């Protein structure tokens, strides 16, 4: 009993308390239930607001709490004790100590029994708080007895409705949404994301980007969608275009008897792809993927056509005509083996003020085989695209290798590790420093200096250099050696320049300044 109740409480927490009631109007009925039940509890507590009756009810509450806790923690001894305590308090005490039990609840006229309203330990405010909390707990427990409110396992695929003809809806990186649903407990085992639909209503709007509300529906009986995450998505409406692409074969696995695939024959050699302009315009090839599994004879098969992203993942939302091609792959003896290096392919930009210092692939080489001509032309194997977008510190990422057609690894690894070292960008900047006359005699004044300005080149991290202008860099011109009017030449040294923290001095011009001093 206790374990089942704990599971119900978990479902209630996941459904009602953690995620809320969302867009459902069910909260109105829930509020009415809580308020009415709270009033009933308040009246009952007010009628029995004495120390002895509250202590008795408190003991029962403690026993129930121990019963639930011990069932969850699997403590059989304490669990049995709490069961016996409840039996004694609820059944044994009223039967075997009937007169005391009646006196406890203030039987009218009973000698020594407390009178209602006397010796009340709780104020009206505390009674109200206890009633409200108890009402909430009882209501939520009742909500979880026969029904379960929780997150739907898996995401619901997102689609667009009322898209103008000749246009398509692009959701970017969002492919599906999560949903919080409420359903009978015995129905949860058969509930799947495929039983739900998630859509946004484009409303035949023209090309552009829109922020639209997501609606999730289902045809299942007695199933209610409580909340959707996210509730809104950004949708880009753009033209649908077509493009003709060559078909390339990608091999994985290995054939038998040290055989390797020779040049494949694809029919047709080109296919037409249809999809959103932003997706199709970047495509350069269509791909069929053939997994070798120990074959020893020429392979003849039909395979579906896909397009791969720079990360070698299939791109959704596009279609091919035809959707399948015929593939004939002769198998020939491997010419030889060859060890080649791995070339990292980097995409994206690190965070502002940072750059990619090095990329180390582990392992750094791969042993490949294939027909002699293909093998001789292969000098390196590129990785799938490694995204460094937004990186501001060194990171270890996983990647795969993009083997050219006809080349296969002798012992392929599912994933390779790319250690991307990120460093702060260093730069130089030319500025004009502020000149300060250091050690000038009180009886003298500077009439002129020649040249009037000094050009300084400083270096440092881009983020530090960017806001620096002339006044942040000072040139202390040492005039302490000159105590009389005249023209003097002052040699400049690195130590004469005062620089902000993290900034270095590269060079300065001129190396000396002519100063004219006069009496005040």
């Amino acid at each position: 009993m206790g374990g089942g109740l704990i599971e119900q409480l978990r479902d209630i927490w996941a459904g009602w308390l953690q995620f809320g009631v969302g867009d459902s109007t069910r909260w109105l009925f829930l509020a009415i239930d809580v308020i009415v039940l709270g009033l009933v509890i308040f009246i009952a507590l007010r009628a029995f607001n004495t120390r002895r009756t509250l202590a008795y009810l408190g003991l029962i509450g403690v026993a129930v709490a121990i019963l639930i806790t011990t069932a969850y923690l699997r403590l059989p001894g304490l669990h049995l004790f709490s069961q016996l305590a409840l039996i004694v308090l609820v059944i044994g005490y009223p039967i075997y100590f009937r007169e005391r039990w009646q006196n406890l609840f203030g039987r009218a006229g009973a000698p020594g029994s407390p009178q209602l309203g006397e010796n009340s330990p709780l104020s009206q405010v505390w009674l109200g708080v206890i009633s409200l909390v108890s009402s909430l707990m009882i209501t939520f427990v009742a909500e979880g007895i026969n029904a379960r409110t929780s997150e739907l396992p898996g995401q619901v695929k997102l689609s667009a409705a009322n898209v103008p003809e000749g246009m398509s809806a692009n959701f970017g990186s969002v492919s599906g949404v999560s949903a919080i649903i409420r359903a009978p407990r015995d129905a949860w085992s058969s509930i799947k994301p495929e039983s739900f639909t998630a859509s946004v209503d484009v409303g035949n709007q023209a090309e552009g980007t829109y922020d639209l509300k997501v609606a999730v529906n289902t045809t299942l009986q007695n199933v209610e969608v409580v909340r959707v995450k996210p509730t809104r998505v950004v949708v880009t409406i753009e033209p649908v275009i077509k493009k003709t692409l060559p078909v390339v074969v990608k091999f994985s696995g290995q054939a038998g008897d040290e055989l390797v695939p020779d040049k494949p024959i694809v029919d047709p050699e080109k296919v037409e792809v249809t999809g959103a302009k932003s997706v199709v315009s970047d495509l350069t090839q269509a791909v069929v993927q053939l997994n070798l599994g120990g074959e020893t004879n020429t392979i003849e098969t039909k395979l579906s056509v896909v397009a791969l992203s720079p990360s070698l993942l299939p791109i959704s939302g596009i279609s091919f005509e035809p959707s399948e091609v015929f593939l004939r792959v002769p198998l020939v003896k491997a010419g030889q083996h060859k060890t080649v290096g791995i070339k990292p392919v980097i995409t994206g930009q690190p965070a502002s003020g940072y750059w990619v210092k090095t990329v180390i692939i582990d392992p750094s080489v791969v042993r490949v085989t294939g027909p002699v001509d293909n093998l001789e032309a292969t000098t390196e194997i590129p990785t799938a695209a490694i995204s460094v977008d937004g990186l501001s510190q060194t990171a270890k990422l996983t990647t795969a290798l993009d083997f050219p057609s006809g080349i296969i690894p002798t012992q392929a690894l599912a994933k390779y590790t790319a250690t991307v070292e990120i460093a702060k960008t260093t730069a130089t900047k030319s500025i004009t420093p502020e000149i300060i006359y250091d050690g000038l005699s009180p009886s003298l004044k500077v009439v002129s200096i020649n040249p009037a300005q000094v050009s300084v080149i400083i270096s440092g991290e881009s983020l530090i250099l960017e806001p620096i202008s002339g006044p942040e860099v000072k040139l202390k011109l040492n005039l302490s050696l000159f105590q009389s009017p005249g023209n003097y030449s002052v040699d400049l040294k690195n130590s004469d320049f005062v620089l902000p923290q993290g900034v270095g001095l590269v060079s300065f011009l001129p190396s000396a300044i002519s100063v004219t001093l006069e009496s005040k």
Side-chain angles (χ1 to χ4, degrees):
M1 182 183 100
L5 186 56
I6 286 294
E7 182 183 349
Q8 293 166 7
L9 291 173
R10 281 176 171 172
D11 292 338
I12 295 164
W13 172 256
W16 293 103
L17 300 184
Q18 181 178 351
F19 298 107
V21 292
D23 299 327
S24 173
T25 56
R26 185 178 181 82
W27 67 271
L28 292 172
F29 301 98
L30 191 66
I32 294 173
D33 195 14
V34 170
I35 292 171
V36 173
L37 180 58
L39 288 174
V40 173
I41 295 175
F42 178 80
I43 294 172
L45 288 178
R46 187 179 179 187
F48 299 104
N49 187 16
T50 67
R51 294 186 184 278
R52 282 189 286 178
T53 53
L54 290 179
Y56 175 72
L57 296 176
L59 284 174
I60 295 177
V62 170
V64 171
I66 295 175
L67 184 72
I68 296 173
T69 304
T70 53
Y72 176 65
L73 298 178
R74 297 182 180 179
L75 303 174
L78 286 175
H79 188 68
L80 177 60
F81 174 79
S82 60
Q83 288 178 322
L84 294 175
L86 278 175
I87 293 173
V88 170
L89 289 170
V90 178
I91 300 175
Y93 191 68
I95 293 177
Y96 293 101
F97 302 94
R98 181 179 183 84
E99 186 173 349
R100 290 188 180 182
W101 187 78
Q102 289 176 338
N103 290 341
L104 182 66
F105 285 92
R107 186 186 60 181
S113 65
Q115 300 301 312
L116 296 181
E118 295 181 2
N119 196 25
S120 300
L122 297 177
S123 66
Q124 301 293 321
V125 174
W126 276 109
L127 287 177
V129 171
I130 294 173
S131 300
L132 178 60
V133 172
S134 301
S135 175
L136 287 170
M137 292 180 63
I138 294 172
T139 302
F140 287 130
V141 168
E143 284 288 337
I145 295 296
N146 298 316
R148 177 184 174 190
T149 303
S150 188
E151 187 167 4
L152 180 68
Q155 287 198 321
V156 183
K157 187 176 180 181
L158 188 59
S159 62
N162 297 320
V163 180
E165 187 176 354
M167 308 292 281
S168 69
N170 187 353
F171 299 103
S173 60
V174 179
S175 59
V177 298
S178 300
I180 310 301
I181 65 170
R182 175 180 169 82
R185 290 186 170 276
D186 55 3
W188 270 88
S189 59
S190 60
I191 293 178
K192 298 179 180 179
E194 292 76 15
S195 304
F196 296 78
T197 59
S199 63
V200 295
D201 187 358
V202 176
N204 292 309
Q205 299 191 74
E207 181 178 357
T209 301
Y210 305 93
D211 184 9
L212 301 177
K213 183 179 179 180
V214 179
V216 175
N217 298 292
T218 181
T219 56
L220 298 176
Q221 296 293 325
N222 300 320
V223 176
E224 176 188 1
V225 178
V226 177
R227 186 178 176 185
V228 180
K229 298 189 303 181
T231 57
R232 305 182 71 86
V233 294
V234 175
V235 185
T236 300
I237 306 301
E238 55 184 328
V240 173
I241 65 171
K242 295 183 178 182
K243 188 177 183 179
T244 301
L245 299 175
V247 180
V248 175
V249 183
K250 296 285 187 181
F251 296 99
S252 60
Q254 292 184 338
D257 295 342
E258 296 186 354
L259 297 173
V260 293
D262 201 358
K263 184 177 180 180
I265 299 172
V266 182
D267 185 23
E269 295 181 346
K270 295 182 178 182
V271 294
E272 186 177 66
V273 60
T274 302
K277 181 180 179 180
S278 62
V279 177
V280 173
S281 59
D282 292 335
L283 298 180
T284 58
Q285 62 184 21
V287 177
V288 289
Q289 298 171 300
L290 178 61
N291 183 33
L292 300 174
E295 294 85 350
T296 56
N297 297 315
T298 297
I299 300 171
E300 294 184 349
T301 184
K302 275 191 172 184
L303 293 175
S304 298
V305 182
V306 298
L308 299 180
S309 69
S311 301
L312 302 184
L313 298 175
I315 298 174
S316 60
I318 57 177
S319 61
F320 292 91
E321 180 58 40
S323 60
E324 291 184 335
V325 296
F326 174 79
L327 182 65
R328 186 175 188 274
V329 184
L331 298 178
V332 297
K333 281 290 183 181
Q336 56 185 351
H337 297 94
K338 185 177 183 180
T339 300
V340 295
I342 298 175
K343 177 185 177 182
V345 178
I346 302 299
T347 61
Q349 293 293 330
S352 177
Y354 294 86
W355 64 292
V356 178
K357 187 175 181 180
T358 59
V359 179
I360 300 174
I361 306 297
D362 184 27
S364 59
V365 295
V366 59
R367 190 171 176 82
V368 296
T369 186
V372 175
D373 292 343
N374 297 49
L375 205 57
E376 288 180 353
T378 302
T379 58
E380 60 186 14
I381 302 296
T383 66
I386 302 170
S387 176
V388 297
D389 265 339
L391 291 182
S392 59
Q393 59 184 3
T394 298
K396 281 193 174 183
L397 309 173
T398 57
T399 186
L401 300 187
D402 187 9
F403 292 96
S405 183
I407 295 295
I408 59 175
T410 58
Q411 187 176 3
L413 296 177
K415 294 292 181 182
Y416 289 76
T417 301
T419 302
V420 182
E421 184 179 357
I422 302 296
K424 291 184 177 179
T425 305
T426 57
T428 59
K429 188 175 186 179
S430 178
I431 63 169
T432 301
E434 179 184 354
I435 298 177
I436 299 174
Y437 303 123
D438 188 33
L440 179 63
S441 172
S443 62
L444 299 175
K445 64 179 180 180
V446 177
V447 177
S448 64
I449 60 174
N450 186 30
Q453 293 181 336
V454 175
S455 178
V456 175
I457 296 178
I458 57 176
S459 67
E461 297 172 4
S462 298
L463 292 176
I464 297 177
L465 289 188
E466 187 175 350
I468 292 179
S469 58
E472 283 85 357
V473 178
K474 315 289 185 185
L475 169 57
K476 287 188 175 182
L477 205 58
N478 185 9
L479 304 179
S480 60
L481 299 177
F482 313 120
Q483 301 298 319
S484 60
N487 293 322
Y488 303 97
S489 179
V490 181
D491 292 330
L492 302 183
K493 306 183 296 295
N494 287 358
S495 58
D496 294 333
F497 294 90
V498 180
L499 305 172
Q501 184 73 24
V503 176
L505 180 65
V506 178
S507 63
F508 56 86
L509 286 174
S511 59
I513 292 180
S514 177
V515 181
T516 300
L517 301 178
E518 290 183 356
S519 299
K520 287 186 177 179

